[in-house]
Amino acid sequence: MTENENAGVVDFDALMKKKKAALFFKRCFDVTASFFGILFLLIPFAAVAVAVKCSSRGPVFFRQIRVGKNGREFRIYKFRTMVADAEKKGMQITVGGDSRVTGIGRVLRKTKVDELPQLFNVFAGQMSFVGPRPEVPHYVDMYSDYQKNVLRIKPGITELASIVYRDENDVLAKSEDPERTYIEEIMPEKIKLNMQYMQKMNVFYDIYLIFRTFAAVLKRGEK
């Protein structure tokens, strides 16, 4: 690290000790909210499942290995928004206008409804409502030792970085090399934002970011 970079280094050992109470109440919120969220959304879940199944060949859910807290891998759940075996037909990131995305998938992605099955990941303790979005092992392997500090907390359904980079797919679509742009430009900035979140995280800040996520989705839906 350069001298300027060292000036912004965070002592994450001390930070995690300081945030013990915040993390406890954060988990209490996650368990309660995910439990009632699952109950409330059971019928909408069924309706979306039927729509996904009828729209294209393949399973209802998309399951993928992601890296969670302390580097532990887990299986994330989403409603499938792409054609079957999409990972074998392209990159592990999605760009705007990606031909692998189905018709119903575009709607689910735009409204973020495809992310809702992650409520089960939250209830199971693998994820939180708010936290760094979990990456696939391929990208986590590229993290520096310092960047790996974002793995000290549970990944989330939403995050500050997702709000700031809500048009990420459109940006990548304009790049001649989308994956390189993601790795060299977007991913490092997202990690910085996630580290900023970790310094501020508490239940009230999480609720604030959840409402900001809803607002961002509504704004995108108006376009």
Side-chain angles (χ1 to χ4, degrees):
M1 289 186 182
T2 66
E3 185 176 341
N4 287 337
E5 287 175 324
N6 278 322
V9 168
V10 177
D11 182 345
F12 281 96
D13 288 330
L15 179 65
M16 290 298 99
K17 290 179 182 178
K18 181 181 177 181
K19 292 290 183 178
K20 274 188 176 180
L23 288 168
F24 171 76
F25 289 111
K26 181 177 167 69
R27 178 58 185 157
C28 291
F29 171 79
D30 285 340
V31 171
T32 304
S34 62
F35 175 76
F36 286 105
I38 290 168
L39 287 181
F40 180 75
L41 292 171
L42 278 178
I43 294 177
F45 273 6
V48 174
V50 171
V52 170
K53 193 64 180 177
C54 293
S55 66
S56 62
R57 180 181 62 84
V60 168
F61 295 105
F62 169 73
R63 294 171 293 178
Q64 187 182 52
I65 296 297
R66 298 288 179 96
V67 180
K69 183 179 178 181
N70 296 326
R72 289 194 294 268
E73 294 183 353
F74 70 99
R75 195 176 297 276
I76 197 173
Y77 290 89
K78 297 184 179 185
F79 283 117
R80 181 176 59 83
T81 61
M82 305 179 85
V83 296
D85 299 323
E87 289 184 290
K88 298 178 182 178
K89 301 174 182 178
M91 300 177 292
Q92 289 190 306
I93 55 174
T94 308
V95 300
D98 195 313
S99 61
R100 297 173 295 170
V101 180
T102 64
I104 187 66
R106 295 191 188 284
V107 176
L108 297 180
R109 282 173 173 264
K110 191 172 185 178
T111 58
K112 297 296 183 182
V113 170
D114 63 314
E115 308 282 1
L116 290 180
Q118 288 160 52
L119 287 172
F120 291 98
N121 290 117
V122 174
F123 187 72
Q126 299 161 327
M127 293 179 66
S128 175
F129 270 96
V130 181
R133 285 297 294 161
E135 285 281 15
V136 295
H138 171 68
Y139 292 127
V140 173
D141 287 342
M142 300 178 191
Y143 287 9
S144 69
D145 288 340
Y146 184 67
Q147 289 174 327
K148 287 179 181 177
N149 280 299
V150 298
L151 302 177
R152 286 176 175 249
I153 63 172
K154 292 176 183 177
I157 296 177
T158 189
E159 59 177 348
L160 177 61
S162 293
I163 298 168
V164 174
Y165 284 95
R166 59 183 176 274
D167 296 321
E168 174 187 324
N169 289 347
D170 296 331
V171 172
L172 292 175
K174 297 174 183 177
S175 172
E176 293 182 0
D177 189 341
E179 186 163 40
R180 183 175 181 178
T181 298
Y182 179 76
I183 293 169
E184 296 182 358
E185 298 178 24
I186 294 178
M187 190 169 75
E189 291 303 313
K190 280 188 166 185
I191 292 173
K192 287 181 183 178
L193 288 169
N194 287 326
M195 288 180 169
Q196 290 177 25
Y197 163 75
M198 291 171 72
Q199 295 172 68
K200 299 172 66 175
M201 64 181 176
N202 59 56
V203 171
F204 299 107
Y205 188 49
D206 280 9
I207 294 172
Y208 165 72
L209 289 177
I210 290 169
F211 277 104
R212 276 195 64 183
T213 300
F214 285 140
V217 170
L218 290 173
K219 186 175 181 180
R220 186 172 176 80
E222 293 172 356
K223 293 182 179 180

